[in-house]
Amino acid sequence: MVDFELLKRIIEAPGISGYEFLGVRDVVIEAFKPYVDEIKVDKLGNVIAHKKGSGPKVMLAGHMDQIGLMVTHIEKNGFLRVAPVGGVDPRTLIAQRFKVWIGPNEYIYGVGGSVPPHIQKPEERNKAPTWDQVFIDVGAESKEEAEEMGVRIGTVITWDGRLKRLGKHRLVSIAHDDRIAVYTLVEAARQLAETDADVYFVATVQEEVGLRGAKVSAFGIDPDYGFALDVTIAADVPGTPEHKQISQLGKGVAIKIMDRSVICHPTIVRWMEELAKKHEIPYQWDILTGGGTDAGAIHLNKAGVPSGGISIPARYIHSNTEVVDERDVDAAVKLTVKVLEEIPELKL
C-alpha cells in the first residue's frame, strides 16, 4: 500500500503551473535524493532525477504542476477576481475553501463566492456560473487591506484540499492529477533493483497549460524511449454507461493505447501488456479521447521517440475531491519497475 506520509507531502505542497517553486519542487527533490545518482533542475523548472546506466535512455515523466487560479483584479471592497490556470471549471469554486499563496509555503485563507441563489432570477439559478460571477473572499474590507495581507495581481491560489482515506482502499485529495504519478515515480525509483537502462525520472512543469515542461526536458534528455505517467478518467459512477467509463477504480493500472495528444507505439503497448501478464499485475486499457499527457510532447521530440503511457484511474479529476485506489497505484509502481528492468531487451 502507499506511503501515506510521503504522498501527503507531495500532494499538499503548492505548485500550480509555472509556480512549482512555491513548494512542490523542493519536496520532490528531497523524495528522489536517496534513490538516484544525480538531480538537476532545468531552466523551466523540471526536476530531472537521473539513475545512470549503460543501456537505452529512458525518460519517465509525471507532471508536478496542479491546476489553480491567479488573481487578475482586486475589487475596492477587497474581493479577488481570478482567472483559471489550467482546466478549472468555475462551478468547482462555489462554497469552497482556498489557499492564497503570498509566498513560498506561505498562504492566507480564502473562500469561493458568488451571488446567493436566493436573490438570483429563476433563469439564472439554472445556469452554471461564469468567471465573471465568481470571486474569492479573503476577509478583507478594502483593496488596501487585501494588499496589506500580501495579495497582488498575479498571486496564485489553490484549493485547500487535504489527503484523506476514503473507505478501505481509496484516497481523496486535490492534485492526484498528477502528484499521484510523481509519487509513483519516486516509489519506482526506490524499488528498482538492477537495470542496464539509463533512467531519467522527470517531474515536469506546466503540463496543465500545454505539456511545456515535457517538451523542453525531452529535448535536453533526448531519450530512446518515453513514458508518461498520469491519471486517466474513471467515470465508473452512477449514470455512466460501461462503454463510456474509460477505466474503473480497483481494476489495476491502465495501459494507455491513445489519448488526444499521442497514439502510443503499438509494440510498446503490447509489450507492456505482456509484462503485466507475466508478472501478474492487474491492468486495464486507457483510450482517452478528451485529454492528453506528457507523452504528447515526448514522442514528437527531435526525430521522434517511441512512447507509452502508464495511467492511474481517478474519479472527479480537476476538482478538490479527486479519488484514486491505492491498489491501482501499487499496480502502476510494479509495472513501471518491470518496464525499467526489462526495457533493455525490447526490440521495436
Side-chain angles (χ1 to χ4, degrees):
M1 296 297 127
V2 304
D3 181 336
F4 188 87
E5 291 305 316
L6 173 59
L7 180 58
K8 182 179 176 69
R9 291 196 298 273
I10 293 172
I11 279 185
E12 294 184 3
I16 74 168
S17 303
Y19 288 77
E20 297 85 0
F21 63 87
L22 284 177
V24 69
R25 185 173 72 191
D26 289 343
V27 172
V28 170
I29 289 172
E30 288 302 312
F32 270 120
K33 269 184 180 179
Y35 314 121
V36 297
D37 298 307
E38 61 183 6
I39 297 176
K40 72 174 185 178
V41 177
D42 69 16
K43 292 180 180 179
L44 210 63
N46 298 294
V47 173
I48 302 173
H50 185 197
K51 190 175 181 67
K52 296 179 181 179
S54 59
K57 193 181 296 185
V58 185
M59 174 179 172
L60 302 102
H63 69 88
M64 62 179 166
D65 60 315
Q66 63 188 124
I67 61 171
L69 308 171
M70 181 177 287
V71 175
T72 60
H73 179 73
I74 305 173
E75 300 279 2
K76 292 180 179 179
N77 52 7
F79 293 103
L80 311 181
R81 296 290 186 174
V82 294
V85 179
V88 182
D89 186 334
R91 291 175 295 182
T92 61
L93 274 60
I94 307 302
Q96 299 296 318
R97 299 185 183 192
F98 292 90
K99 291 180 177 179
V100 180
W101 295 95
I102 57 175
N105 293 306
E106 184 180 5
Y107 63 87
I108 59 175
Y109 278 111
V111 296
S114 68
V115 176
H118 312 75
I119 58 174
Q120 290 179 349
K121 297 177 182 178
E123 61 271 20
E124 292 176 334
R125 295 177 197 157
N126 297 324
K127 294 181 180 179
T130 66
W131 286 101
D132 287 336
Q133 295 171 314
V134 296
F135 48 82
I136 303 297
D137 183 350
V138 293
E141 297 183 27
S142 66
K143 178 180 179 180
E144 291 74 21
E145 185 178 354
E147 291 175 338
E148 288 172 2
M149 296 167 73
V151 181
R152 300 289 185 270
I153 303 301
T155 293
V156 298
I157 302 172
T158 62
W159 282 283
D160 179 23
R162 317 291 173 85
L163 179 66
K164 298 290 184 181
R165 293 199 175 274
L166 189 68
K168 187 176 181 180
H169 296 293
R170 308 283 162 80
L171 300 164
V172 58
S173 178
I174 61 168
H176 277 309
D177 180 9
D178 190 32
R179 307 288 177 74
I180 194 66
V182 174
Y183 167 86
T184 299
L185 290 178
V186 173
E187 189 62 19
R190 185 184 73 82
Q191 293 186 23
L192 185 60
E194 293 185 7
T195 179
D196 290 331
D198 192 30
V199 184
Y200 293 80
F201 301 97
V202 186
T204 59
V205 298
Q206 298 192 44
E207 189 270 356
E208 294 288 3
V209 291
L211 318 182
R212 298 171 187 173
K215 183 176 182 179
V216 301
S217 56
F219 187 90
I221 295 168
D222 194 18
D224 298 306
Y225 300 101
F227 294 87
L229 279 74
D230 210 327
V231 297
T232 189
I233 292 172
D236 56 340
V237 296
T240 306
E242 187 173 353
H243 71 282
K244 292 185 177 180
Q245 292 180 6
I246 312 297
S247 67
Q248 299 178 351
L249 293 192
K251 301 295 184 181
V253 59
I255 298 173
K256 185 175 291 295
I257 297 174
M258 179 184 76
D259 62 35
R260 194 173 59 187
S261 68
V262 65
I263 298 173
C264 294
H265 195 292
T267 300
I268 290 179
V269 171
R270 296 307 167 193
W271 173 71
M272 291 171 67
E273 179 186 18
E274 291 169 5
L275 283 179
K277 289 179 177 178
K278 175 182 175 181
H279 298 285
E280 299 182 337
I281 301 169
Y283 73 95
Q284 53 191 312
W285 296 115
D286 178 20
I287 298 177
L288 185 62
T289 59
T293 66
D294 278 337
I298 297 169
H299 84 289
L300 295 176
N301 183 63
K302 295 185 178 179
V305 180
S307 297
I310 296 172
S311 300
I312 299 167
R315 292 178 185 160
Y316 324 125
I317 63 171
H318 284 210
S319 78
N320 64 333
T321 55
E322 298 176 346
V323 176
V324 301
D325 190 303
E326 60 183 342
R327 294 169 296 185
D328 300 333
V329 180
D330 286 343
V333 171
K334 291 176 182 177
L335 183 58
T336 303
V337 170
K338 294 306 176 185
V339 163
L340 293 174
E341 287 178 348
E342 301 191 27
I343 201 167
E345 308 302 321
L346 177 62
K347 304 298 182 185
L348 296 182

